[in-house]
Amino acid sequence: MIKLQQVNAGYDDNCLIDISFELEQKQVAILLGTNGAGKTCLLHTIAGVLKPKAGQIEGIHSQLELRARDLSYCYQSPLQSSLILVSDYLKLIQPLDKQRREQLSELFALETLLNKPIAKLSGGEKQRVKLVSCLAQKSSTILLDEPTTAIDPYFVDQLANALNILKNQGVSFLIATHDLSFAIKIGDRFLGLKESKIQFDTKLDELIKHHHLNSLFNKNFEWLVNRQGSFVLC
């Protein structure tokens, strides 16, 4: 499992200070915070895009071939336009779990997109292709940065289904998102970033009990329970 110990990170200055936590197996951890809080900076640092300025990150191999089995990263930036066909793009996944790719392609309805060049896809279609390419990588941990961006509500539900399937197969997730409805639906654990540090690391019941989101986002939220018995945030 991936473990961070007293990590400082940033671009020019430190945007993260003394970050320590361990990702657990078969867990969906949600990374919350306002714009500029450092969520993407943290994902970049774990993924190796940024080098920590202090501290250690354990559980990720330095060799690229082995690293890809430890970690898959679905970045926030849109999939770049290209003339490569979707079917050919999905063949580039390494290491590839073919069964997982086929299952995910069905969940995200990619069959009608396979013979199209990426440049001809809409923003939401590109996001679905990008999600499948990341989730189909045979990795033990997957990082997702704003994964619900541009996709329709139906595919947000399909993403939740995909995460549940992969979690039951032993995959761990760290997901940065502003989509709070999605977060509380799929999250097992919630980490709040503010003022360069982790302000809380807790489960849903404690998130509600201690009003952590109110202080994190400077807004008074109301928690309701729907007919299915699930929490809804207003």
Side-chain angles (χ1 to χ4, degrees), residues 34-88:
T34 59
N35 291 327
K39 300 185 298 298
T40 295
C41 178
L42 179 54
L43 295 184
H44 276 7
T45 304
I46 297 172
V49 178
L50 285 175
K51 184 177 180 180
K53 296 187 175 185
Q56 295 181 339
I57 300 177
E58 301 175 359
I60 307 175
H61 283 89
S62 57
Q63 296 181 18
L64 290 179
E65 298 82 0
L66 298 175
R67 188 183 187 90
R69 293 189 176 276
D70 293 329
L71 192 69
S72 176
Y73 181 25
C74 189
Y75 47 88
Q76 185 176 355
S77 302
L79 193 63
Q80 292 185 350
S81 293
S82 169
L83 294 179
I84 188 173
L85 299 181
V86 170
S87 58
D88 292 330

Side-chain angles (χ1 to χ4, degrees), residues 79-103:
L79 193 63
Q80 292 185 350
S81 293
S82 169
L83 294 179
I84 188 173
L85 299 181
V86 170
S87 58
D88 292 330
Y89 179 78
L90 294 177
K91 293 176 183 176
L92 300 176
I93 304 167
Q94 292 294 332
L96 171 64
D97 186 322
K98 292 184 179 179
Q99 183 177 359
R100 190 187 294 182
R101 182 183 63 185
E102 298 309 312
Q103 187 176 26

